[in-house]
Amino acid sequence: MTTPGRMLPQPTPESAHFWEGTRLQELRLQRCRHCHEHYFPPRPFCPHCHGQDIEVVRASGKATLYSYVISQRPAPGIEAPYVLAVVELEEGPRMMTNIVDCPARPESLPLDMPLEVHFDRQSEEITLPMFRPEVKA
Amino acid sequence: MKRGAVAVVGAAESTRMGVIPDVSQLQLNADAALNAIRDAGLKPSDIDGVATAGESPVTLAQYLNITPKWIDGTGVGGCSFLMHVRHAVAAIEAGLCTTVLISHGESGKSRVAPPAGPWPPTRSSWPGQFETPYGAVSPPTMFTVPVMRYLKTYGITREQLAMVPVVQREWAQRNPRAFFRDPITVDDVLAAKTIAYPFTILMCCPQTDGGGALILTSSERAKDMLRPPVYILGAGESTESILISQMADFSSSRAFRVSGQQAFASSGISHAEVDHLMVYDAFAHLPLYGLEDLGFCQPGEAAEFIAERNTAPGGKLPVNTNGGGLSYMHSGMYGMYALQESVRQMRGIAPAQVEGARVSVCHGVGGMFSAAATIVFSNEL
């Protein structure tokens, strides 16, 4: 579902891999080959050990809910109420996102709830990674 | 820094505070600056150091017709002015300048000639790529994101969070210049319009206009000047993350901890000696983080400390005695007004004066927990 009007990201050379990934329905992180830590946001060096031997890896897309607010005011391209959340990816890093396919009510948003990524195409270039409650098989 | 080597010798706010639709942002700044220079018994030609944020120090110095030998335009949000104090102390001690003006003006509500601000972030910046697209578009949606985690970590309720604005309104009642002065209850706070759950509008600062300025010089010179000197005993500053989502621990601010530790270490004071505390409160949760991260309360215990009225009128650690950002004023960057109240308390002239107060700690935040600075003031060496 496209939501025209959102303030969309403009990729930089250092974040191009990430936005190319989401466009291809992949959640990509970087991992340091020296200290083995995953990290986000993107940089061509490890923020933990500052080593430059890093690689781009595909994340599982699984996460848990770390914290959130439920905004009652709309934002450009986003109707109210919406859930602005920070999720903790299975690999460790956290990222900001929206929680979708879920009532925008505190009772439906217990912290630490399991989530999975849902790719939401916004334009030719940009697909945003959002998260929804994990659908158990 | 040498403990107490520099003092505040002039302090004033803009002539009017509140809703000021007929004065530009730059003029609010200059109005406060001229009031503070006059308060110090000085002339603009006595000023040789200029610091400001939200405006270029070049523009401000020119507008006031001051020739600076030292400037500081550190702009990291509301605590910039506390950082300017710390930087000015170092500059005066190093002999780079003798008499510093730190000044602020902001047409936060009326928006009369504001310069281009930090909002909106560019699309290619980290905030523009990784936060704004999801609707992180205003402080009430961003600064508040950590709080659900804080509440869960320590088992704190929304009712307890609501006590923060209730207590600060008690202080505001005693302040004729406060923007909001009517008493409120926890029920009032929770029943008010929800802006971004768990925050209602009464847990958020208002938007107002105003200005404030300080004049600093060496304590040696301060002895012979008009006002009782307010000495700077110690100071700290730090930063953490431009992205609220990347704050390492949503229950604690690293910038608060580092800044606070430096301030206490450099001043040599103990927590027991602190008579008065200002914790920049754009939102209701900030005093909780401030009390804990500065070491006045154990992690998770600030809410109870406040509920037991320790920070309220009559309490053992008065906090935000002007009413705070939540009730006194908030133009967008509030740090200068926290400094102003600390200085008033040290001079003994605050509307809600803490009897016999000798040490005031003033702590400010910048951005969304992005930066922090802490100043330790005393009226004695």
Side-chain angles (χ1 to χ4, degrees), chain A residues 89-134:
Chain A
L89 301 174
E90 193 174 45
E91 294 81 1
R94 297 191 193 124
M95 58 189 303
M96 182 165 272
T97 187
N98 296 124
I99 306 300
V100 296
D101 297 343
C102 181
R105 286 195 317 257
E107 307 79 54
S108 303
L109 295 162
L111 295 195
D112 306 316
M113 72 186 279
L115 303 164
E116 59 188 24
V117 69
H118 164 78
F119 294 100
D120 199 321
R121 184 176 182 277
Q122 302 294 317
S123 70
E124 276 293 323
E125 193 188 24
I126 298 296
T127 293
L128 291 176
M130 300 191 189
F131 286 79
R132 63 183 168 210
E134 189 178 55

Side-chain angles (χ1 to χ4, degrees), chain A residues 3-136:
Chain A
T3 44
R6 277 198 193 230
M7 296 166 79
L8 294 182
Q10 181 168 64
T12 65
E14 293 76 34
S15 70
H17 67 272
F18 179 83
W19 295 114
E20 186 186 272
T22 58
R23 193 165 55 81
L24 299 170
Q25 311 249 320
E26 281 182 19
L27 189 65
R28 293 177 180 171
L29 292 174
Q30 286 162 306
R31 182 172 60 199
C32 176
R33 289 197 181 96
H34 176 67
C35 71
H36 308 297
E37 293 283 344
H38 292 83
Y39 63 87
F40 182 85
R43 275 153 283 193
F45 60 90
C46 174
H48 302 292
C49 71
H50 298 90
Q52 294 182 2
D53 188 10
I54 58 103
E55 58 183 343
V56 175
V57 299
R58 184 172 181 173
S60 70
K62 293 192 191 305
T64 56
L65 181 62
Y66 188 61
S67 197
Y68 69 89
V69 293
I70 306 170
S71 178
Q72 299 299 330
R73 289 178 178 165
I78 311 175
E79 289 176 11
Y82 64 93
V83 180
L84 182 65
V86 174
V87 302
E88 188 164 295
L89 301 174
E90 193 174 45
E91 294 81 1
R94 297 191 193 124
M95 58 189 303
M96 182 165 272
T97 187
N98 296 124
I99 306 300
V100 296
D101 297 343
C102 181
R105 286 195 317 257
E107 307 79 54
S108 303
L109 295 162
L111 295 195
D112 306 316
M113 72 186 279
L115 303 164
E116 59 188 24
V117 69
H118 164 78
F119 294 100
D120 199 321
R121 184 176 182 277
Q122 302 294 317
S123 70
E124 276 293 323
E125 193 188 24
I126 298 296
T127 293
L128 291 176
M130 300 191 189
F131 286 79
R132 63 183 168 210
E134 189 178 55
V135 177
K136 295 268 187 220

Side-chain angles (χ1 to χ4, degrees), chain B residues 189-272:
Chain B
V189 174
L190 294 176
K193 183 176 157 139
T194 301
I195 302 297
Y197 182 92
F199 282 74
T200 70
I201 195 160
L202 288 177
M203 297 170 173
C204 304
C205 57
Q207 274 193 292
T208 69
D209 309 317
L214 298 173
I215 311 296
L216 275 63
T217 194
S218 69
S219 298
E220 193 54 40
R221 284 186 69 213
K223 282 192 314 221
D224 303 319
M225 293 179 70
L226 214 54
R227 304 285 177 217
V230 177
Y231 302 105
I232 294 143
L233 299 188
E237 67 189 278
S238 191
T239 67
E240 182 172 5
S241 170
I242 198 71
L243 300 169
I244 187 74
S245 58
Q246 301 305 314
M247 193 178 171
D249 176 356
F250 275 24
S251 308
S252 171
S253 162
R254 189 190 75 193
F256 279 25
R257 296 193 311 270
V258 173
S259 175
Q261 281 155 19
Q262 280 188 299
F264 275 89
S266 57
S267 63
I269 60 150
S270 67
H271 290 80

